Amino acid sequence: MTYYFTSITANYFAKARVLCKTLKKYNKEAKFVLGISDSIPDFVELSEEPFDEVLEAKNLKQIENKDSFFFKHTVTELCTAVKPLMAYEIIQKEDADSVIYLDPDIAVFDSLNELENMFSEGSILLTPHQLVPEKEDIYIRENEILFLKRGTYNFGFFGVKKDEQGLSFLNWWADRLKNYCFDDNYEVLDELTHDGLLGLFTDQKWADLIPSYFDKYKIIREPGYNVCTWNLSGRTVKIKGDKIFVNNKPLYFFHFSGFDSGAHHNELRKSLTYYPHNSDVQKLSLWYEEQLKQNGQKVFEKIQWENTKYSNGEVIKNFERKLFHIRKDVHKLFQNPYQVTDGLCFYNWVRTEYKRYFLDKKPGESYIEENRKITSAINRLFPIKSKRRWIIKKIYNKLFKNCG
């Protein structure tokens, strides 16, 4: 039997509900495991939830030092780093024949029986970000070049069969993500460059090596799987009655990536200026927004990840996590980097060893803080889902990004 699962922190609980409910609407016998790297909210009664099982990251046996593992990852890195560990745990614990991962911001719109049958063709199932070359220059740069950097395959979905190749892949991938699951940014550029760690994008970029390392993989080229704003240029989405079609074939699941940040809405508006035939996707967006509301989005989105602070109550900055991640040589010295003491502890050590990151007038910190303030001001003046933000972005693209 195939088990499905996702990976979240508590603020994504409403999305996980929508994913699970839509999956089971079209796949009555489907088994769904909620993977969570956070505390389950006190007001949630699991017996009333649609999930068949709950798998907490803190209980994963493969993570030797949980304090170290949780500290060194940002919330995005953590939710992606645990994916192969959770997949392996589900295969072993539930005695599943195969597992399929779906990002929490996905909704299912049809039976996935054909998807499960694809395990007869491969032990690893993959969906590329795109299936056809871009035609517009803006999308060559914003899609094709981006995916050369972030990975050919979108790991908002993957499938693994319980056989020698499938388990070998999970073990290899899990091993890499235990130490090298980085959400690339430039806050610690010098350190990342020195250690040769630039160019990684969490769990996803590693998948580019699959065709070199493994034989039994299947690249899914059916357009109805993992549809998202980044591949609408090669797809035509139409709603016909109670069915949704992509290039005249069924829509199996849609990936509402960037829905909270506004990226989904902004990218969709931009896409529709080039490909107005996809206007039905706006209806899908409105439907998804309503589903989130009905499943408690307004409550869950306010929940803060439990691992955001040191023991003294101070918020851990992302660059502090990244520095700890890079400096594997101090992991044994600081077994619990969250703990702040008067003596030797990571909190005191990092402020001495990397003093320049904590001085307001130093270039690195000044840039980070200035960038944060500018971003905050832009968001106030041009709210993320607003039309005026989209218009300003469109003008900017026309004036600057398309020069020459």
Side-chain angles (χ1 to χ4, degrees):
M1 184 176 188
T2 299
Y3 273 70
Y4 294 83
F5 79 104
T6 195
S7 176
I8 69 165
T9 48
N11 64 320
Y12 264 55
F13 217 91
K15 293 182 177 64
R17 282 175 171 173
V18 174
L19 168 60
C20 184
K21 288 177 180 179
T22 57
L23 172 69
K24 294 196 171 194
K25 177 180 179 180
Y26 298 99
N27 303 268
K28 304 296 184 184
E29 304 301 318
K31 295 293 184 181
F32 186 90
V33 179
L34 175 70
I36 185 166
S37 300
D38 207 348
S39 290
I40 299 169
D42 293 338
F43 58 86
V44 170
E45 182 54 61
L46 289 177
S47 62
E48 298 175 2
E49 295 294 330
F51 319 119
D52 296 288
E53 300 285 346
V54 175
L55 179 57
E56 297 181 80
K58 64 184 180 182
N59 295 327
L60 289 170
K61 301 171 186 175
Q62 304 99 313
I63 303 175
E64 295 177 3
N65 184 328
K66 306 261 187 327
D67 290 324
S68 176
F69 188 82
F70 275 67
F71 183 93
K72 72 180 181 180
H73 292 115
T74 64
V75 64
T76 300
E77 291 168 346
L78 180 62
C79 286
T80 52
V82 298
K83 281 155 62 173
L85 302 175
M86 288 180 170
Y88 189 85
E89 184 85 1
I90 292 168
I91 284 177
Q92 299 301 318
K93 182 180 177 183
E94 306 296 344
D95 196 28
D97 299 319
S98 54
V99 292
I100 288 175
Y101 172 82
L102 296 171
D103 259 356
D105 50 8
I106 281 175
V108 178
F109 293 96
D110 211 323
S111 168
L112 299 184
N113 285 340
E114 289 187 19
L115 179 63
E116 295 180 16
N117 290 337
M118 291 181 192
F119 283 116
S120 64
E121 304 174 53
S123 302
I124 307 164
L125 304 183
L126 307 167
T127 52
H129 279 99
Q130 296 174 292
L131 296 174
V132 295
E134 295 286 4
K135 295 179 181 178
E136 299 288 344
D137 183 69
I138 188 172
Y139 284 121
I140 292 172
R141 289 182 281 110
E142 293 189 4
N143 283 344
E144 290 186 348
I145 292 176
L146 177 65
F147 299 137
L148 286 172
K149 299 173 183 177
R150 292 194 169 185
T152 299
Y153 309 101
N154 178 257
F155 261 49
F157 159 86
F158 69 87
V160 179
K161 186 178 180 180
K162 184 182 179 181
D163 62 11
E164 183 178 354
Q165 281 257 311
L167 294 178
S168 178
F169 160 66
L170 281 182
N171 286 325
W172 165 77
W173 191 34
D175 186 67
R176 295 298 177 269
L177 296 188
K178 283 179 184 178
N179 295 305
Y180 300 108
C181 185
F182 288 101
D183 184 5
D184 239 0
N185 64 56
Y186 299 102
E187 292 182 344
V188 290
L189 180 61
D190 292 343
E191 283 70 22
L192 286 169
T193 302
H194 179 269
D195 285 64
L197 297 174
L198 282 178
L200 295 176
F201 184 67
T202 59
D203 62 325
Q204 190 167 270
K205 184 66 175 172
W206 290 102
D208 285 1
L209 294 172
I210 289 174
S212 299
Y213 291 169
F214 305 96
D215 298 321
K216 297 180 180 179
Y217 62 89
K218 178 175 175 56
I219 298 173
I220 300 172
R221 302 190 59 81
E222 188 78 17
Y225 295 101
N226 214 354
V227 182
C228 193
T229 52
W230 56 62
N231 53 41
L232 287 178
S233 58
R235 289 165 164 87
T236 298
V237 179
K238 292 293 180 184
I239 300 174
K240 299 179 182 179
D242 60 351
K243 298 286 288 184
I244 308 171
F245 296 89
V246 183
N247 298 356
N248 295 316
K249 296 183 178 181
L251 168 65
Y252 294 103
F253 57 85
F254 195 100
H255 193 167
F256 294 92
S257 180
F259 204 82
D260 291 347
S261 68
H264 166 85
H265 304 276
N266 293 332
E267 291 305 313
L268 178 56
R269 288 193 189 101
K270 182 170 66 177
S271 177
L272 291 176
T273 64
Y274 292 93
Y275 308 103
H277 58 267
N278 276 325
S279 59
D280 278 356
V281 178
Q282 290 181 312
K283 298 177 184 177
L284 285 183
S285 296
L286 291 173
W287 170 87
Y288 186 66
E289 188 169 13
E290 180 59 30
Q291 295 304 305
L292 292 179
K293 288 179 181 178
Q294 292 179 17
N295 283 276
Q297 174 70 8
K298 293 297 182 182
V299 174
F300 288 112
E301 68 182 2
K302 298 174 183 177
I303 298 177
Q304 188 179 69
W305 182 37
E306 67 179 353
N307 297 299
T308 58
K309 297 178 181 179
Y310 286 104
S311 64
N312 65 357
E314 188 171 326
V315 174
I316 304 163
K317 299 179 177 65
N318 282 343
F319 72 81
E320 295 178 73
R321 296 182 187 276
K322 191 99 37 198
L323 290 170
F324 182 74
H325 200 159
I326 294 169
R327 289 295 301 270
K328 292 194 289 290
D329 57 314
V330 302
H331 288 188
K332 288 186 178 180
L333 183 61
F334 305 115
Q335 292 286 316
N336 183 355
Y338 291 101
Q339 191 64 41
V340 178
T341 66
D342 292 333
L344 182 63
C345 62
F346 178 75
Y347 177 90
N348 292 331
W349 176 86
V350 73
R351 281 159 175 72
T352 301
E353 185 77 5
Y354 295 95
K355 187 176 180 180
R356 65 187 184 278
Y357 286 104
F358 297 90
L359 297 176
D360 290 338
K361 295 185 179 181
K362 290 296 180 180
E365 180 68 11
S366 293
Y367 170 78
I368 296 166
E369 184 62 22
E370 182 182 357
N371 194 46
R372 186 191 66 77
K373 289 179 179 178
I374 291 173
T375 301
S376 178
I378 290 173
N379 288 340
R380 284 197 303 272
L381 292 171
F382 306 100
I384 285 173
K385 295 182 183 180
S386 68
K387 189 170 183 179
R388 66 174 179 267
R389 184 185 181 101
W390 174 73
I391 293 171
I392 289 296
K393 190 174 181 181
K394 187 177 179 182
I395 293 171
Y396 173 85
N397 286 337
K398 195 166 186 177
L399 290 176
F400 298 102
K401 292 193 175 182
N402 290 332
C403 289

